Amino acid sequence: MSMRFKWRRAAIMACLCAGIAGCSGGSNTTYFTTRGLKAPQAQCTVDPRTVAVAEPIRDIRERSGCQVENAYRVSSIGGISFSQPAIMNCGMIGPLDTWFNDTVQPAAQRAFGESVVAVNVAASYACRPRNNKRGAKMSEHGFGNAIDIASFTLESGRKVEVEQGYFSWSEKAFIKEVRKGACEDFNTVLGPGDAHHNDHIHVDRANRSRKLC
Ligand SMILES: [Zn+2]
């Protein structure tokens, strides 16, 4: 093996081992940066079988730095069905269950006198930069550590859109309450009024020193 090849191999190995820590040379490095990002705690905080309809899937590791440890494909949590299966790390399941049970359902009872049975999942795992902005940091979606919810469906079939929710009093109160409550369970909560989040609520468990809600 030539010295040159050895170096090349070492560089590739270092790159793989570094994982998210600023792997340079990949085709996606101009697309987003992983500098300063720390992979989330992906351990299950609850047994997914007890609170969700979820199946473990193979962990995701992209050369660009996107990675989902303890990956699950989730179809429902806490009795709330997802419009499409969501891929996330297992650490997301517990907080979502708590948010749904402790905040979303009580808020729905108060605002509409009925329960939420489904949510429209606009995005879960996605290997992309924040706000789809080229050159920005990798989104927490790249860790399977975030979910975007565009609407909540009630028992009666009524759909409360996050965006239109701001036009009716009860819907506005509901969206405001679920968004505020999410801050108990997540580190980042974004929604209408925040750039790029007018039509959905984004929640994630990013490693940050101060919550962004
Ligand atoms: Zn999002």
Side-chain angles (χ1 to χ4, degrees):
M1 193 186 290
S2 75
M3 201 54 155
R4 196 170 171 184
F5 181 74
K6 267 189 200 162
W7 271 111
R8 191 176 151 73
R9 200 174 71 155
I12 291 169
M13 288 307 290
C15 200
L16 290 174
C17 296
I20 59 149
C23 188
S24 63
S27 57
N28 266 331
T29 48
T30 52
Y31 189 45
F32 59 70
T33 172
T34 54
R35 203 175 307 126
L37 291 182
K38 221 171 123 194
Q41 298 288 325
Q43 297 96 322
C44 307
T45 54
V46 291
D47 180 348
R49 291 169 301 184
T50 63
V51 300
V53 177
E55 50 163 337
I57 57 169
R58 188 193 286 256
D59 288 357
I60 296 169
R61 279 177 209 284
E62 307 257 13
R63 283 191 58 199
S64 58
C66 292
Q67 57 176 63
V68 186
E69 306 264 340
N70 267 330
Y72 274 75
R73 182 183 287 114
V74 181
S75 316
S76 108
I77 295 181
I80 294 182
S81 307
F82 289 0
S83 59
Q84 57 172 326
I87 291 174
M88 61 185 74
N89 70 59
C90 196
M92 281 289 286
I93 295 175
L96 280 169
D97 182 55
T98 308
W99 180 42
F100 288 165
N101 281 305
D102 295 357
T103 296
V104 174
Q105 295 297 19
Q109 286 299 335
R110 270 191 289 279
F112 314 111
E114 48 177 327
S115 303
V116 170
V117 294
V119 287
N120 181 2
V121 174
S124 55
Y125 170 71
C127 193
R128 60 167 174 79
R130 290 179 187 174
N131 301 327
N132 286 312
K133 215 170 123 194
R134 184 172 278 270
K137 278 190 183 176
M138 187 185 84
S139 164
E140 286 296 312
H141 287 280
F143 286 132
N145 201 35
I147 192 166
D148 291 347
I149 293 176
S151 69
F152 299 82
T153 305
L154 307 174
E155 292 165 82
S156 59
R158 177 177 177 181
K159 210 179 220 184
V160 182
E161 305 276 352
V162 170
E163 188 169 22
Q164 294 175 3
Y166 273 65
F167 294 114
S168 113
W169 184 86
S170 58
E171 293 185 354
K172 183 175 175 175
F174 171 74
I175 296 297
K176 197 174 164 191
E177 195 175 343
V178 299
R179 185 172 167 184
K180 192 170 172 222
C183 210
E184 300 283 321
D185 307 296
F186 297 95
N187 295 338
T188 315
V189 180
L190 299 166
D194 298 321
H196 307 283
H197 297 88
N198 270 330
D199 59 358
H200 66 274
I201 293 176
H202 163 108
V203 296
D204 73 45
R205 299 182 312 126
N207 271 303
R208 44 170 88 252
S209 46
R210 269 182 65 192
K211 289 192 179 217
L212 177 63
C213 297

